[in-house]
DNA sequence: AGCCCGGCTTGATCTGGATCAAATCAATCC
DNA sequence: GGATTGATTTGATCCAGATCAAGCCGGGCT
């Protein structure tokens, strides 16, 4: 992140799903109300307990959102990719963050001031609806995670995760190569597993012929076979 | 639930926090678009996989929302009290329910048709904002639960639960009697504990002098003492 | 009163997954 | 290339919390 070429906020914002059907004027308002944050790998975007300065939108790079326990261990709640936003709930409730966010690689974030978002909600019902849909999606995904954590075994969570990744990375293919988008330790924590146990599960499943592991690439011969493994 | 006195939807809806500052005309529209559902104890409101007929609003009574595993065990996600609504996310995304809902006692629910809610969002930015706040609250609470499940021990979750209940039931009192609003087994599942282990934790904590148990009533001498127990 | 049934407790045992410790591998930097 | 540092694996051990199996209320019913 050492080049200091000025960031053109409008074009960036216009590409984000949450904003991409907004008229140009609105985008300009948002751009004016937003701040560029440049993070290098491992840089912190916000910490637990801080109050939220606005809506975070990832332009490029990758962030992990995690809880930290008193004993230094942490639990990754979400991994944010380019185009995703974060902090809607805290913004609307004006509550401090329960988690912290850290860049997994060099990352660019725009922070849109809360007032600009609130204005937009009041002025543009279509945007409110879109925001509502985004939050619904997040709520729904969180429910799925919760179901996994409380009802499914570690191996089942790993299989489910790989299936979802395969569906995203190579839709509708019977065979797929899934590339883990983050270090195994981070994925492990995301699945609520210790790195060691995650490694063992991966090993076991590959021994059972579900897939082959090559570093961060998981080669799946038969996606439908994985699906069966869930039963 | 054996009296069949017709339910006056308007007055009921007008008392629900989500709708209570809507103009009378809007309330009437909602009432017209909503259906009364009467459930007796253990009656099912909806099942996993069903598509959602509208927004559920609890008028009186109590519901549990839970995941069911293939082996018959279940995990309670939420306990809904009178005045609460449920199903916003599924409604907006048009996704089937991931969980089922069952009445814990005789319960009255209004189901507001999805179209009426969508209209209201498009027409009334204030309502959209209110809905957004409600979903933020739910998202935030879910995050707190998740933090508990993944990072805290069983005993810590029980203490946290009791502290929140005390804060709701007897705000700002140093001593409090917390009445468990549901059978212990349901609370246990809500905290992601087996009934047996929940019972043991309660026993242990009371032995350590944190509180005294009388059936479903937990007598807390010193709320601040409980807070210390969390460290 | 006596009976029944569902909710709760208690005890004994088991296990998924964590933790600790050490070895191996991989990427980067002199 | 060798050294350094972090990521991953492997092995041994441990533990929070589940499960299984009885007992034990307490309250509604006849």
């Amino acid at each position: 992140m050492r080049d200091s070429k000025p960031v053109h906020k409008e074009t960036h914002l216009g590409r984000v799903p949450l904003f991409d059907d907004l008229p140009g004027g609105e985008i300009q308002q948002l751009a004016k109300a937003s701040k560029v944050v440049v993070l290098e790998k491992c840089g912190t975007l916000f910490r637990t307990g801080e109050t939220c300065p606005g809506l975070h939108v990832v332009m490029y790079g990758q962030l992990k959102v995690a809880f930290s326990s008193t004993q230094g261990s942490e639990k990754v709640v979400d991994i944010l990719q380019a185009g995703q936003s974060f902090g809607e709930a805290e913004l609307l409730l004006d509550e401090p963050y329960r988690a912290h966010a850290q860049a997994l690689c060099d990352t660019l974030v725009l922070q849109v001031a809360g007032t600009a978002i609130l204005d937009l909600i009041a002025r543009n019902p279509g945007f409110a609806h879109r925001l509502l849909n985004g939050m619904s999606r997040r709520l729904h995904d969180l429910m799925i995670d919760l179901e996994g954590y409380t009802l499914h075994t570690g191996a089942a969570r790993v299989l489910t995760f790989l299936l979802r990744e395969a569906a995203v990375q190579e839709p509708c293919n019977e065979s797929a190569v899934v590339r883990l988008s983050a270090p195994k330790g981070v994925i492990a924590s995301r699945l609520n597993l210790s790195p060691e146990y995650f490694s063992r599960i991966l090993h076991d499943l590959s021994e059972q012929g579900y897939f082959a592991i090559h570093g961060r690439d998981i080669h799946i011969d038969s996606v439908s076979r994985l699906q069966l493994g869930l039963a």
Side-chain angles (χ1 to χ4, degrees), chain A:
Chain A
M1 313 287 342
R2 26 211 68 81
D3 69 315
S4 54
K5 153 178 22 143
V7 180
H8 193 248
K9 301 180 200 169
E10 280 85 348
T11 43
H12 270 120
L13 284 172
R15 272 201 285 265
V16 169
L18 182 59
F19 302 126
D20 69 3
D21 66 349
L22 246 35
E26 297 286 15
I27 297 269
Q28 271 187 7
Q29 294 293 319
L30 286 179
K32 230 182 285 176
S34 68
K35 225 179 75 183
V36 176
V37 179
V38 176
L39 292 169
E40 24 189 289
K41 191 176 174 181
C42 295
T44 294
L45 179 61
F46 57 80
R47 278 175 240 276
T48 306
E50 288 181 5
T51 57
C52 95
L55 184 68
H56 305 282
V57 186
V58 183
M59 307 309 343
Y60 58 79
Q62 204 179 33
L63 289 163
K64 73 169 182 212
V65 181
F67 296 120
S68 37
S69 81
T70 34
Q71 289 83 359
S73 65
E74 67 169 28
K75 152 69 185 138
V76 174
V77 189
D78 208 352
I79 301 173
L80 302 178
Q81 310 289 349
Q84 291 195 266
S85 56
F86 188 85
E88 293 87 344
E90 288 82 352
L91 191 65
L92 288 168
L93 299 173
D94 199 26
E95 291 253 10
Y97 294 115
R98 306 281 310 179
H100 64 268
Q102 203 180 13
L104 292 175
C105 56
D106 292 351
T107 296
L108 182 72
V109 176
L110 286 187
Q111 280 174 353
V112 185
T115 50
I117 300 292
L118 292 179
D119 279 4
L120 205 45
I121 294 171
R123 216 162 353 107
N124 187 331
F127 174 73
H129 192 262
R130 206 161 244 253
L131 197 51
L132 237 9
N133 271 320
M135 297 199 47
S136 297
R137 176 89 279 145
R138 190 146 347 180
L139 209 46
H140 193 254
D141 289 351
L142 217 44
M143 291 282 274
I144 294 180
D145 281 349
L146 203 61
E147 186 177 0
Y149 298 149
T150 56
L151 240 37
H152 302 331
T153 157
R157 267 173 278 154
V158 171
L159 285 177
T160 313
F161 171 78
L162 289 176
L163 280 169
R164 300 187 112 217
E165 283 302 301
V168 171
Q169 292 181 29
E170 308 200 17
C172 307
N173 268 23
E174 174 55 5
S175 73
V177 179
V178 171
R179 167 154 298 156
L180 301 181
S181 67
K184 285 185 180 166
V186 175
I187 306 279
S189 173
R190 173 72 244 269
L191 297 173
N192 204 24
L193 298 168
S194 69
E196 294 94 331
Y197 193 45
F198 180 53
S199 171
R200 279 183 246 270
I201 289 174
L202 240 32
H203 181 97
D204 289 358
L205 289 174
S206 82
E207 210 149 61
Q208 288 167 53
Y210 285 110
F211 46 70
I213 309 167
H214 294 98
R216 269 189 205 175
D217 291 336
I218 314 285
H219 296 250
I220 303 172
D221 251 24
S222 161
V223 170
S224 48
R225 175 100 202 287
L226 277 210
Q227 243 136 11
L228 290 175
L230 274 177

